[in-house]
Amino acid sequence: MEQVECIVVGGGLAGLSAAYGLASAGAEVMVLERGDYSGAKNVTGGRLYVKPIRRFYPELWDEAPYERPVARELVTMMAGGAHTTVEIASDRFTAGQPQSYTVLRARLDQWLAEKVGEKGAMVVPNMKVDELLRKDGKVTGIRAGEDEIGAQVVIVAEGVLRLLSSKAGLTSEPQARHHAIGYKEVIELPAGVIEDRWRLNPGEGAAHLFMGDCTKGMMGGAFLYTNKESISLGMVVGMDDMRRRRDGSESWQLLDEFKELPQIKPLVAGGTVAEYSAHSIPEGGISQVPKLAGDGYVVAGDTAGLSLNALVTVRGMDFAIASGYFAAQAVLKAKEAGDFSAAGLASYEASLRDSFVLRDLETARSIPNVMENPRLFTHYPQAIGRLLESVYTIDDQPQAGIVKKAWRGVRRDFMSVATVKDAWSMRKI
Amino acid sequence: MDIVVCVKTNPDLQMVRVKDRVAVTEAVPYKIGDLEKNALQAAVDLRAAAGGKVTALCLAVGNRKAAEDVKVALAMGADEAVVIDDPALAAPDQAAVATALAAAVKKIGACDLLLFGEGSTDNYSGQVGARVAEILGLPQIGYARKVEAVGGAVRCERSMDDMLETLEAPLPAVVTVVSEINEPTIPGLMQIMKAKSKPLQVWSLADLGLDAAQLAPTREIVSNLAEEQDRKHILFDGSAAEQADAFVNALIKEGVLGR
């Protein structure tokens, strides 16, 4: 059997980040990517938080092909025809090195794959891996078609579906309950129109999330990110909720209806839909993170369940890149010690636990449970809208004072046993 | 039999979008065209039957990663590859392409058979094979659906609609092939790995003894858009039967039916 030092299964951000670290240190690396090119199969909302990962591979992040630095953050709660938006545009979001950028994965991943190639790794697109080879419990290589290639370590970054790792018993099979379906359109609009509509300085971007009626009470929400000359508009809906819905609506219908809303229509007016894509998203939180390393393998990125939907911040790509970095460091350590066993690779999990990746997931441990509370997507968006709408409403009757109007709303919608319970369950998010 | 196969990398047509009637090729990856893969496969099959060496010859033409992309040809079975990459060849016309290729074939030296696809997947001019044959003064057979080596000659079969034509040319010769000739194999991982260590050379125009002025385009393609057709925007009301009647009547009125 042909042998290489390291095989990376999956040429997404986690796999490429691992390969970049390994190849930079002179290790022999082969990245196997199922798509026509890196990024071909990836979908993101998407925004990449660059600040957390700047210290890994600092030479990369100033030249990466981003779309726009996010200068303006918006969250809209929508119910019963009322949209309430909280908005913040802070100097700190973009000063110096911006904290996050909107991205399109086809460009970003292809660029990173090229960088990995320049470091001497072999990136093979169009290569579907059929099996992770195991011998006496140790991962010894991969099989692609009829070809078996051995490796001292396999970095499994095959993405959310875990097709290979679950079959090989390294991870559990993904369950609908712990996943969401994300789907989006890329809608082309001229740069000037984008900057006018979202009130942006030239080159700057906005990130806009929506909760409430858009998902018809199902767990999830809609998102809108501004790219250079397009917007990414889509939705994320809990897979279980989607599966159990009774009204027969399809995912794409939700998005179509959303685009037709009088509050949304002017945002997309005149745009041309250039792309449509969908993907599953791990949302199980830290309780669904599998064993991260074993004899002859490590698991990174979405395969390791490293993503975090914290309602107003949605992360995954930064975790993927960080996990790839730590995987590479652990493998290099193992190489130096000549020990690719679980013990030799143990520093991978240790460094993830020390880093923001598993710490932030730990902090957010209760979020997946909180998100299962349907009131989050029905009652609260409606209550907030009702409260503010009453404050702003003038009719032909004598008006109560503003504080009285608001207090009425608070008493009606926020002071029940259920809401107090909700507040208690949310105290840790 | 030593064979040189000319391959071109084209923007992946599946990835090209059209915006305001212009093809958006930014960030679109390149790959070796399907017809060139037929030619490569034909070369590999001929080598299996008659021995010799297969060289893939690729003109970069605006693809800065051509030397990477041409490795697919090596994985498919070519023994070595030559890439002609020169800034002066960013947007050449067919004459310039043929001049550069012919010079490279001369430099490669050993070449009994020169294979091309019948045309490239992007512009599909179908001229380059014939032009190279003329420059090199070689016999050429176009649109072959079968190629075999017979003694010191190449025997080709091509479809002439109502008959099959079998032609023979003495070697060295130029042959262009059509897609029916074979089903190109998709290289496996081992073949891809082996391709990495096969010889690959990158030549500039200077290496070929050419200068940019010789290859300046003699013609400029101003536009190659398909004609735009205005839609009639006619909507029919009524029952399905009424709509069908109205539709047929409209087609007759337009002269589409019942001529």
Side-chain angles (χ1 to χ4, degrees):
Chain A
M1 190 161 55
E2 192 85 13
Q3 283 281 334
V4 294
E5 231 164 45
C6 319
I7 291 178
V8 178
V9 180
L13 291 178
L16 291 173
S17 164
Y20 186 86
L22 289 166
S24 302
E28 186 193 10
V29 192
M30 187 163 70
V31 183
L32 304 175
E33 161 59 34
R34 188 161 58 106
D36 284 353
Y37 53 87
S38 277
K41 296 206 170 282
N42 299 95
V43 178
T44 181
R47 172 229 302 259
L48 171 63
Y49 285 96
V50 179
K51 215 155 221 175
I53 54 167
R54 272 201 184 273
R55 67 191 172 93
F56 316 131
Y57 318 131
E59 71 279 15
L60 288 179
W61 309 119
D62 286 328
E63 58 156 300
Y66 306 115
E67 293 295 314
R68 289 168 182 266
V70 177
R72 192 178 287 273
E73 306 268 1
L74 307 98
V75 177
T76 295
M77 282 145 287
M78 46 186 284
H83 287 211
T84 313
T85 301
V86 177
E87 174 177 331
I88 174 165
S90 164
D91 294 346
R92 255 79 58 201
F93 289 158
T94 48
Q97 294 176 323
Q99 71 159 359
S100 72
Y101 292 87
T102 56
V103 294
L104 290 170
R105 289 293 294 277
R107 283 186 69 203
L108 183 69
D109 291 31
Q110 269 186 83
W111 164 81
L112 189 53
E114 213 170 290
K115 293 284 154 195
V116 169
E118 283 167 17
K119 289 288 176 191
M122 188 176 172
V123 183
V124 184
N126 272 317
M127 188 49 64
K128 179 170 157 267
V129 175
D130 295 299
E131 193 185 345
L132 299 174
L133 300 176
R134 297 194 79 181
K135 199 178 163 195
D136 308 327
K138 183 184 183 314
V139 174
T140 55
I142 59 100
R143 181 176 65 79
E146 285 165 13
D147 296 332
E148 293 190 345
I149 313 279
Q152 290 185 295
V153 63
V154 176
I155 291 140
V156 186
E158 57 167 334
V160 58
L161 295 180
R162 296 181 174 171
L163 296 173
L164 302 167
S165 56
S166 67
K167 204 169 107 190
L170 312 182
T171 60
S172 59
E173 245 180 67
Q175 291 169 356
R177 187 172 160 233
H178 301 303
H179 291 78
I181 170 153
Y183 47 102
K184 70 157 187 178
E185 293 178 352
V186 174
I187 301 172
E188 289 179 338
L189 283 170
V193 171
I194 290 172
E195 282 148 13
D196 285 352
R197 280 185 195 175
W198 282 273
R199 293 156 293 133
L200 299 163
N201 293 307
E204 289 185 343
H208 195 162
L209 303 178
F210 303 82
M211 283 171 64
D213 270 2
C214 50
T215 56
K216 303 207 161 159
M218 293 186 282
M219 177 183 120
F223 58 80
L224 188 161
Y225 295 96
T226 58
N227 305 314
K228 275 185 186 141
E229 293 193 309
S230 64
I231 56 170
S232 295
L233 177 71
M235 281 188 175
V236 173
V237 185
M239 227 176 243
D240 238 12
D241 278 10
M242 199 74 197
R243 215 163 49 159
R244 282 200 298 248
R245 75 199 179 282
R246 295 257 159 72
D247 63 356
S249 58
E250 299 285 343
S251 53
W252 55 269
Q253 286 171 322
L254 290 178
L255 188 56
D256 279 357
E257 283 170 30
F258 180 68
K259 282 163 67 182
E260 285 300 317
L261 292 174
Q263 294 87 347
I264 305 302
K265 214 171 177 173
L267 297 178
V268 296
T272 317
V273 177
E275 277 175 38
Y276 185 91
S277 55
H279 215 275
S280 31
I281 305 166
E283 293 214 326
I286 196 155
S287 72
Q288 297 305 310
V289 173
K291 197 175 147 215
L292 290 163
D295 291 340
Y297 77 92
V298 298
V299 186
D302 273 2
T303 310
L306 302 177
S307 81
L308 174 56
N309 178 350
L311 295 172
V312 296
T313 54
V314 184
R315 300 169 67 181
M317 290 185 282
D318 55 337
F319 288 178
I321 290 165
S323 67
Y325 171 83
F326 289 126
Q329 301 313 308
V331 168
L332 291 170
K333 217 177 216 176
K335 185 183 164 187
E336 213 178 282
D339 177 9
F340 292 95
S341 69
L345 293 164
S347 71
Y348 175 50
E349 180 162 347
S351 20
L352 279 177
R353 290 215 175 275
D354 274 347
S355 76
F356 67 87
V357 178
L358 287 182
R359 283 192 175 186
D360 287 356
L361 275 170
E362 184 59 54
T363 305
R365 181 177 281 276
S366 62
I367 287 184
N369 283 327
V370 169
M371 298 265 274
E372 283 179 6
N373 178 357
R375 277 191 300 280
L376 211 55
F377 308 99
T378 51
H379 176 74
Y380 292 108
Q382 188 178 28
I384 289 166
R386 261 206 300 222
L387 191 153
L388 279 164
E389 199 178 330
S390 76
V391 169
Y392 280 94
T393 298
I394 300 291
D395 57 19
D396 58 0
Q397 297 299 309
Q399 300 297 305
I402 289 174
V403 172
K404 196 165 181 188
K405 277 182 176 176
W407 179 239
R408 256 189 230 151
V410 170
R411 258 203 342 234
R412 183 184 55 221
D413 288 326
F414 292 94
M415 292 187 70
S416 64
V417 176
T419 54
V420 171
K421 263 172 131 174
D422 289 348
W424 181 251
S425 78
M426 282 185 224
R427 72 197 183 281
K428 280 186 181 164
I429 69 170
Chain B
M1 182 157 67
D2 292 331
I3 306 170
V4 175
V5 187
C6 293
V7 296
K8 180 178 168 188
T9 58
N10 306 300
D12 184 350
L13 293 186
Q14 282 183 318
M15 297 299 299
V16 174
R17 287 182 299 111
V18 175
K19 193 178 173 186
D20 302 328
R21 303 210 82 203
V22 178
V24 182
T25 51
E26 193 216 334
V28 172
Y30 279 68
K31 53 180 182 184
I32 292 177
D34 290 344
L35 287 160
E36 284 99 327
K37 285 185 180 169
N38 291 118
L40 266 167
Q41 188 64 47
V44 171
D45 294 344
L46 278 168
R47 182 187 57 193
K53 192 175 76 175
V54 174
T55 305
L57 173 59
C58 173
L59 207 62
V61 192
N63 177 9
R64 61 193 173 83
K65 282 169 64 199
E68 195 53 43
D69 296 333
V70 81
K71 285 182 185 158
V72 171
L74 294 172
M76 282 182 67
D79 300 289
E80 38 191 85
V82 172
V83 175
I84 308 168
D85 195 358
D86 197 291
L89 282 170
D93 63 5
Q94 288 83 5
V97 169
T99 307
L101 288 177
V105 171
K106 273 190 205 152
K107 188 173 158 91
I108 290 169
C111 174
D112 301 308
L113 182 64
L114 190 51
L115 284 178
F116 290 82
E118 58 167 312
S120 61
T121 19
D122 51 358
N123 285 328
Y124 204 76
S125 76
Q127 297 178 19
V128 175
R131 282 179 180 270
V132 172
E134 280 307 300
I135 296 170
L136 296 174
L138 298 178
Q140 52 154 322
I141 300 175
Y143 308 98
R145 43 169 270 171
K146 199 170 163 188
V147 184
E148 46 186 344
V150 197
V154 59
R155 182 182 293 163
C156 300
E157 185 179 290
R158 61 179 185 176
S159 169
M160 307 296 284
D161 272 350
D162 52 350
M163 60 171 175
L164 287 177
E165 195 175 55
T166 303
L167 299 160
E168 249 182 55
L171 298 176
V174 174
V175 173
T176 76
V177 306
V178 296
S179 63
E180 296 100 283
I181 193 167
N182 53 38
E183 189 66 45
T185 52
I186 297 166
L189 186 50
M190 288 295 286
Q191 287 167 289
I192 293 171
M193 287 173 73
K194 280 185 191 141
K196 210 182 159 189
S197 52
K198 289 183 179 175
L200 191 157
Q201 300 182 66
V202 181
W203 292 344
S204 65
L205 286 183
D207 293 328
L208 298 176
L210 295 170
D211 62 64
Q214 279 173 277
L215 299 177
T218 50
R219 284 169 185 68
E220 187 194 352
I221 297 173
V222 181
S223 165
N224 62 354
L225 293 175
E227 198 185 335
E228 221 172 348
Q229 208 173 5
D230 285 335
R231 302 282 160 193
K232 302 269 178 200
H233 296 291
I234 304 171
L235 291 172
F236 301 109
D237 294 325
S239 69
E242 286 162 358
Q243 285 184 46
D245 281 345
F247 180 54
V248 170
N249 284 335
L251 290 179
I252 292 168
K253 201 175 144 199
E254 292 292 332
V256 182
L257 285 181
R259 267 182 290 190

